Amino acid sequence: MKLLARYALLFSLILGLSACGGSSNKSSPIYSSSSKSSSVATVSSSAPASISLSSLSTLSSDGSSSDPGSSSVVATSSSAPASSSSSAAPLFVVVSGKVVDELGVPVAAANIAAEGTNIVVATADDGSFTLDLSVLTPALLRISKNGFASTIRAAAAADDNVFFAQRIVLHSVGVTLNFDATSENILRVPGSTARVDLPANSLANADGSVFSGTAQVTITPIDPSVNIEFMPGVMVDSGTGTAIESLGAMGVEFTDENGRPLNLGANKSADIRIPATPAPGGILPATIPLYHLNETTGLWEQDGTATLETDPANGKNYYAGKTDHFSWWNADQMFDRATIDYSQTSSALCDYSALPGNITMVMQGVDFLGRQTLAPKTGEPLYAKALAKARLMLMTEDSVVDAIELTMPAAGASLRLPRCLAVPQQITASGKVTVTSGDLSAYRVQISGATFLTKTVDIADDGSYSTIVYANAGEIRARLVGGIAHRDTSLSSATVTVANTNVAFADLAITDDKVVVSGCINGWENYPHQNAQLNVFKDGKLIESLFEVNSRSNSFSFVSLI
């Protein structure tokens, strides 16, 4: 039960806390995420929580309901692929991929729409999808799912269409807020410096008319230092084609009560704060260019500058800037680059012709936040930040096959590989999950490592699990993650070192403590809505989306698994 003190109930449409029968033997601190935002009550099992509502700001569910697009089916293109009996080159390529969340858990029923076509597909239960894309132009995909920030995946060139969408990461929404658009609002993500300062009457409908009513916003900060793969679009400056390095990003989406999109009106602007996230050992510049994502091209366009500031409340850094429209925003800097000549070593040529078709080559920064993906058979140029460290990998959609670290030369120079990359022996890593209390079906096992792509695997009915890795992958880690809710049993984990033989993890254990949380909500008479949503957060991260309460009853009671 002592773990419960670490959990907090973040109540939709709430500002204050008031007594509701009984007294706690522990204090219940309440803090407001802004002067007009939601409140958090830390609860213990010995007393119910009691919440008072205010009409100033709102927070709604961020993802427990099913996606309205979950019934989507494949819509064929108006132009059919060339017949196999034709001598003409095919006009389409079959593309397969998988959509996962930031933990590597597959995302089912995510909508994937191909820009410029009528192709729309929905992911299967394992997150997989297949679609036909043109071989003539670079593809752009729009990926969406209720509870996640919509994202863009774009191919840098038409030749990349076959592999650019092998693995797509959807990022969970940071916060969802309902608010009165006719008033000035400070909208922020709990536990983060991510924030939007929105002037009164600044939102507009699609036709440009001023919106006056209750609006909803989702704000999703991204930390590219955790995984640059989280970033949408192609990480280059649209004007010059120069590679850019992200030091923090944030997605903001506004809608009306019917889900129709809203944005800033003509001659309106808003202040934004993007959490600053340098690479390991990196230095944050005092000013940095601001970029927004062009959602038609998938490229980043420079649009102003941002200034580095520090939040006095928590000491965290952020970049402050202004915007006249909302989309994905990115604090980026261009970098000088050097070339990686992956076709040869100092003494031999590297032959990639026999590699399986699902193998891609990926450059990822070690001490900078950059990434480039290509098909090694094509011979396309490959770059990394000059005078920096980069990791070069052969990858499938969910595994690192081989990897080497490189120290890059000066700008404009070329570096040959110390050895050719190759596909090594496959190794099986396996283990078992035991259940002390809880539900085995609610979990998956996440596999991760320093040179290993994070993924999750199913747990069989007998508690066993296994996955394929590659020889000499080094230390890899298995831990339990929520497969249904975003719960996370991080204390139950095990590590093994992979050399050239099969390995077994120590047993993982599921121990879910069932806690009854009850209380009441007062203040409906001052609140303009009839419903409020209860959510459970841990350390600023959504753990469970619960149920709605309404004005007809001021009490609630539910069982939480922690």
Side-chain angles (χ1 to χ4, degrees):
M1 296 302 180
K2 64 182 180 180
L3 291 176
L4 187 58
R6 298 181 58 195
Y7 281 73
L9 289 179
L10 184 56
F11 296 93
S12 305
L13 324 175
I14 292 170
L15 275 183
L17 188 74
S18 65
C20 181
S23 60
S24 173
N25 62 354
K26 295 183 179 179
S27 62
S28 297
I30 306 300
Y31 65 87
S32 176
S33 59
S34 78
S35 61
K36 299 182 181 181
S37 189
S38 305
S39 295
V40 175
T42 301
V43 300
S44 69
S45 58
S46 58
S50 171
I51 307 298
S52 268
L53 298 182
S54 169
S55 61
L56 295 179
S57 183
T58 62
L59 172 66
S60 67
S61 167
D62 76 343
S64 61
S65 61
S66 61
D67 185 18
S70 61
S71 60
S72 298
V73 297
V74 176
T76 58
S77 173
S78 57
S79 299
S83 168
S84 59
S85 62
S86 171
S87 59
L91 299 179
F92 290 82
V93 62
V94 178
V95 176
S96 297
K98 179 176 286 188
V99 177
V100 299
D101 67 11
E102 58 267 46
L103 296 177
V105 177
V107 177
N111 281 343
I112 301 177
E115 178 75 6
T117 76
N118 61 354
I119 298 174
V120 180
V121 301
T123 55
D125 289 344
D126 63 354
S128 64
F129 65 91
T130 301
L131 46 76
D132 293 341
L133 294 176
S134 169
V135 299
L136 302 178
T137 57
L140 184 145
L141 303 180
R142 301 178 184 275
I143 306 95
S144 60
K145 165 80 175 181
N146 193 36
F148 296 88
S150 301
T151 194
I152 300 288
R153 176 55 64 91
D159 287 344
D160 297 344
N161 287 357
V162 69
F163 65 80
F164 82 110
Q166 280 188 339
R167 175 180 160 103
I168 299 172
V169 178
L170 278 180
H171 208 287
S172 299
V173 165
V175 73
T176 304
L177 300 167
N178 294 325
F179 62 94
D180 179 5
T182 64
S183 301
E184 179 181 349
N185 286 274
I186 298 176
L187 310 167
R188 67 174 77 194
V189 179
S192 171
T193 56
R195 170 171 152 175
V196 175
D197 292 0
L198 189 71
N201 299 307
S202 59
L203 292 180
N205 297 297
D207 62 4
S209 60
V210 176
F211 175 77
S212 58
T214 299
Q216 183 176 95
V217 63
T218 61
I219 305 175
T220 306
I222 284 183
D223 183 352
S225 68
V226 173
N227 189 344
I228 192 65
E229 192 182 13
F230 293 165
M231 294 297 298
V234 181
M235 293 297 291
V236 297
D237 177 280
S238 64
T240 65
T242 303
I244 54 177
E245 175 184 14
S246 176
L247 300 183
M250 182 172 74
V252 183
E253 295 180 276
F254 289 94
T255 57
D256 66 14
E257 291 179 304
N258 295 312
R260 292 185 291 256
L262 303 171
N263 217 309
L264 287 172
N267 302 315
K268 300 293 184 180
S269 64
D271 294 322
I272 58 174
R273 296 183 179 183
I274 301 175
T277 55
I283 298 174
L284 294 170
T287 59
I288 193 169
L290 268 180
Y291 284 80
H292 74 265
L293 180 64
N294 183 320
E295 297 189 11
T296 301
T297 65
L299 302 178
W300 291 92
E301 298 181 354
Q302 188 172 345
D303 193 352
T305 58
T307 304
L308 182 65
E309 298 185 15
T310 302
D311 188 333
N314 54 30
K316 295 180 180 179
N317 293 318
Y318 62 87
Y319 281 108
K322 279 189 174 294
T323 177
D324 59 5
H325 70 283
F326 284 102
S327 174
W328 280 101
W329 283 88
N330 195 357
D332 279 292
Q333 57 185 2
M334 297 188 210
F335 56 79
D336 293 328
R337 62 188 189 181
T339 302
I340 300 173
D341 182 0
Y342 57 90
S343 69
Q344 58 185 317
T345 69
S346 59
S347 59
L349 296 177
C350 300
D351 182 9
Y352 303 107
S353 61
L355 289 179
N358 67 332
I359 297 289
T360 59
M361 182 173 286
V362 178
M363 182 287 303
Q364 185 158 310
V366 175
D367 56 2
F368 69 100
L369 301 177
R371 181 182 175 96
Q372 182 184 349
T373 302
L374 53 77
K377 297 178 184 180
T378 64
E380 292 179 52
L382 183 62
Y383 305 101
K385 186 176 182 178
L387 304 177
K389 292 185 182 300
R391 180 174 294 120
L392 188 62
M393 301 174 283
L394 288 182
M395 297 178 62
T396 66
E397 63 276 5
D398 62 3
S399 297
V400 175
V401 175
D402 193 11
I404 52 176
E405 282 202 8
L406 304 172
T407 299
M408 298 303 298
S414 180
L415 175 70
R416 293 180 178 179
L417 301 185
R419 64 175 178 83
C420 294
L421 293 172
V423 178
Q425 171 190 358
Q426 290 187 337
I427 300 295
T428 299
S430 60
K432 192 172 182 65
V433 178
T434 62
V435 180
T436 302
S437 62
D439 183 4
L440 186 67
S441 65
Y443 289 90
R444 294 170 64 87
V445 175
Q446 180 191 75
I447 311 293
S448 60
T451 60
F452 185 84
L453 192 65
T454 299
K455 63 179 178 179
T456 64
V457 296
D458 292 323
I459 305 171
D461 291 342
D462 64 356
S464 63
Y465 66 91
S466 65
T467 187
I468 297 296
V469 295
Y470 290 86
N472 303 311
E475 186 176 274
I476 62 173
R477 180 185 183 215
R479 74 180 184 110
L480 289 168
V481 295
I484 296 177
H486 283 79
R487 294 198 308 277
D488 178 349
T489 310
S490 59
L491 294 180
S492 187
S493 64
T495 59
V496 295
T497 299
V498 177
N500 53 13
T501 58
N502 294 340
V503 294
F505 292 101
D507 288 356
L508 305 177
I510 295 175
T511 306
D512 281 341
D513 293 330
K514 294 184 178 181
V515 179
V516 177
V517 181
S518 58
C520 67
I521 300 177
N522 300 316
W524 291 105
E525 65 276 7
N526 299 317
Y527 184 63
H529 301 283
Q530 301 300 312
N531 298 292
Q533 175 75 36
L534 301 185
N535 297 315
V536 176
F537 281 72
K538 174 187 175 184
D539 298 332
K541 176 182 176 183
L542 178 69
I543 303 300
E544 291 177 276
S545 290
L546 301 173
F547 55 86
E548 285 194 351
V549 292
N550 58 65
S551 59
R552 294 185 297 273
S553 173
N554 69 343
S555 62
F556 62 85
S557 180
F558 61 88
V559 175
S560 179
L561 300 177
I562 64 172

